[in-house]
Every structure is written in structure tokens, then in C-alpha cells.
Amino acid sequence: MRIILMGPPGVGKGSEAELLIKSFQIPHISTGDIFRELYKDRTTVGKIAKEYISRGELVPDDITNEIVRHRLSQPDVKKGFLFDGYPRNIEQAKALDEILAKKGCKLDAVINIDAPEEQIVERISGRRVCSTCGAVYHIHSKKPQVEGICDLDGGQLIQRNDDMPETVQRRLRIYKDQTAPVIGYYQEKGAIVYIDGTSTIAHTHAQVMKALGELN
Ligand code: AP5
């Protein structure tokens, strides 16, 4: 399966991605996670990306597309892949088309998860992530067993610095201006499925699996 997962910041793409990659045994390609890893490793690209991320802006297309091109040259994507957070504007969508055409492969599905803005802001403001492994929690809907501590590795749970209210508002504005038009781009190609992301993580996943089943 070759899948793109779209949706506004904080709607639950990463949470759904975790479940989908288990169902299909495919690699999870989150450009946001890749940038955060590159920054953790103190690479030059990571430091540049961090400046954009902390302002809530998109990392420039040349950097992002190059990262994706490199990732898609790895052997594990032969069995498929799940993009989460890419493409994020029309230029990136066209770049991905070119990369895939050169590899002679096509997308199987583009999934767009959506929810009202108040709900998204509530999800983002309650999100906590493990400072060591990046596992994602929520102060109400996905609590760790011990408050403030990651269930998986005992790391400290922190708030992402781009999850602060002012930055979230900018991310949402950029989503509307630059990323939402990508939905129309895939709609014209007839490849998109729309998922209501207002319910629980489990219910969202059930809807996604049903929609993917109906495509085949
Ligand atoms: P990225 O890391 O991709 O962030 P995002 O798209 O803004 O998405 P989030 O990670 O904030 O949210 P999500 O939808 O994955 O939600 P989650 O599952 O965590 O990008 C970060 C930055 O990197 C960008 O702003 C940009 O600067 C840069 N970047 C990345 N890709 C780029 C690209 N292609 N081009 C240029 N720049 C790029 O859920 C959120 C919370 O809600 C969690 O706490 C979760 O537990 C909870 N939750 C989820 N679903 C539910 C549910 N159904 N019910 C209740 N709670 C839920």
C-alpha cells in the first residue's frame, strides 16, 4: 500500500499512522518526525528546519523534497509507505508525482482526516510527547500510566515547542492557505477519501480501514 495521510495540524494523523503501519506493515514517513530527528542529531539541515518549525512555518520545499527523495530511495519502501505530513503544498505534491513517476509507482490512497478547529486546538494543547522516544500522549484522551512519564521508556513527557498557542494559530493559517489546496489537487485525480476525525482514535481507524477496504 502507498498511502498519504492528510489533515490539519493536531487532527490525529500521527495517531492514525501508528495503527495503519501495523495493519499494513509499511514504513511511516513523517517529515515532521524526520526534521525533529535531524535536529536531535544536531545536523545542519535539522538546525535550519528547527527555525521554521518553531515559527510554525513550512520548511522550504527544496530541503523537504530532497529529504523525501532520499527516503524513497531506501529499500524498505518497496513494500509501500505511509506519508504523514507530506505533501504540504501544491509544489510538494507535484514533486512527489515526479519522484513516484520516475520510480514507476502510483499512490493507492490519499486519506484526509478532518475535525473542527476547536477540537484540533484542544488536541494540540493537551498533547505531550516523550522527550526521549517521541511517543505521543494526551492529558485527557491518552494518559500515561504515571503522570508526566512515558510508558515505553520512562522518558519525561514535554510539550512540543510548536504546540504553544501563538504558533498553533500560525500553523493553522498556513494549513488553510497552503496545505488545504492539496486536497483539491488529489480530488481532481479522484484518489482521495474523507474521514471524520471527531471521534476516538479507534473509531477513526475503523473508518479508515473500511474506506481502504472499499477502494480495493
Ligand atoms: P508535523 O510533525 O507533521 O506536525 P503537524 O502536521 O502539524 O501534525 P501534528 O504532529 O501536530 O499532529 P497530528 O495530526 O499528527 O496529531 P496527533 O496524532 O499527534 O510537522 C511539524 C512541523 O514540521 C510543521 O509545522 C512544519 O514546520 C514542518 N514540516 C513537516 N512536514 C513538512 C513538509 N512536508 N513541508 C514543510 N514543512 C514541514 O494528535 C494530536 C493530539 O491529539 C495527541 O495528543 C493525540 O493523543 C490526540 N488525539 C489524536 N487523535 C485523537 C482522537 N481521535 N481523539 C482524541 N484525542 C486524539
Side-chain angles (χ1 to χ4, degrees), residues 75-95:
D76 63 338
V77 301
K78 284 205 177 92
K79 55 190 172 189
F81 51 76
L82 173 67
F83 273 116
D84 160 6
Y86 180 89
R88 247 175 157 99
N89 58 29
I90 299 286
E91 289 68 28
Q92 292 183 10
K94 288 182 177 165

Side-chain angles (χ1 to χ4, degrees), residues 7-13 53 55-58 88 113-125 127 162-181:
V11 75
K13 300 182 296 297
I53 294 173
R55 290 197 298 263
E57 293 169 10
L58 296 187
R88 247 175 157 99
I113 305 179
D114 207 358
E117 192 165 310
E118 316 83 75
Q119 203 167 8
I120 286 169
V121 169
E122 192 279 326
R123 285 181 186 171
I124 294 186
S125 60
R127 172 167 51 194
D162 61 336
D163 280 353
M164 299 306 157
E166 232 181 73
T167 317
V168 169
Q169 287 309 320
R170 185 171 305 142
R171 286 163 64 197
L172 289 168
R173 248 194 338 268
I174 289 177
Y175 171 79
K176 282 181 198 149
D177 293 346
Q178 301 192 38
T179 310

Side-chain angles (χ1 to χ4, degrees), residues 33-178:
D33 286 350
I34 294 174
F35 289 138
R36 283 184 285 274
E37 278 301 312
L38 288 171
Y39 177 69
K40 230 180 181 178
D41 295 343
R42 305 267 163 223
T43 66
T44 308
V45 171
K47 286 179 194 164
I48 296 170
K50 175 136 198 258
E51 285 178 27
Y52 288 90
I53 294 173
S54 54
R55 290 197 298 263
E57 293 169 10
L58 296 187
V59 177
D61 290 343
D62 54 346
I63 295 179
T64 308
N65 291 331
E66 194 44 46
I67 277 175
V68 167
R69 198 169 285 121
H70 177 259
R71 184 65 186 83
L72 286 182
S73 69
Q74 307 295 306
D76 63 338
V77 301
K78 284 205 177 92
K79 55 190 172 189
F81 51 76
L82 173 67
F83 273 116
D84 160 6
Y86 180 89
R88 247 175 157 99
N89 58 29
I90 299 286
E91 289 68 28
Q92 292 183 10
K94 288 182 177 165
L96 179 61
D97 281 350
E98 269 181 40
I99 300 169
L100 294 180
K102 275 192 190 146
K103 291 173 73 70
C105 57
K106 281 188 168 176
L107 293 169
D108 294 300
V110 179
I111 299 163
N112 187 60
I113 305 179
D114 207 358
E117 192 165 310
E118 316 83 75
Q119 203 167 8
I120 286 169
V121 169
E122 192 279 326
R123 285 181 186 171
I124 294 186
S125 60
R127 172 167 51 194
R128 299 293 181 269
V129 296
C130 175
S131 53
T132 321
C133 72
V136 177
Y137 297 85
H138 188 277
I139 54 170
H140 301 303
S141 62
K142 200 176 171 204
K143 292 180 183 179
Q145 281 162 16
V146 178
E147 197 184 324
I149 303 291
C150 179
D151 294 345
L152 304 178
D153 65 2
Q156 232 193 338
L157 301 188
I158 54 165
Q159 204 164 9
R160 262 169 51 178
N161 71 1
D162 61 336
D163 280 353
M164 299 306 157
E166 232 181 73
T167 317
V168 169
Q169 287 309 320
R170 185 171 305 142
R171 286 163 64 197
L172 289 168
R173 248 194 338 268
I174 289 177
Y175 171 79
K176 282 181 198 149
D177 293 346
Q178 301 192 38

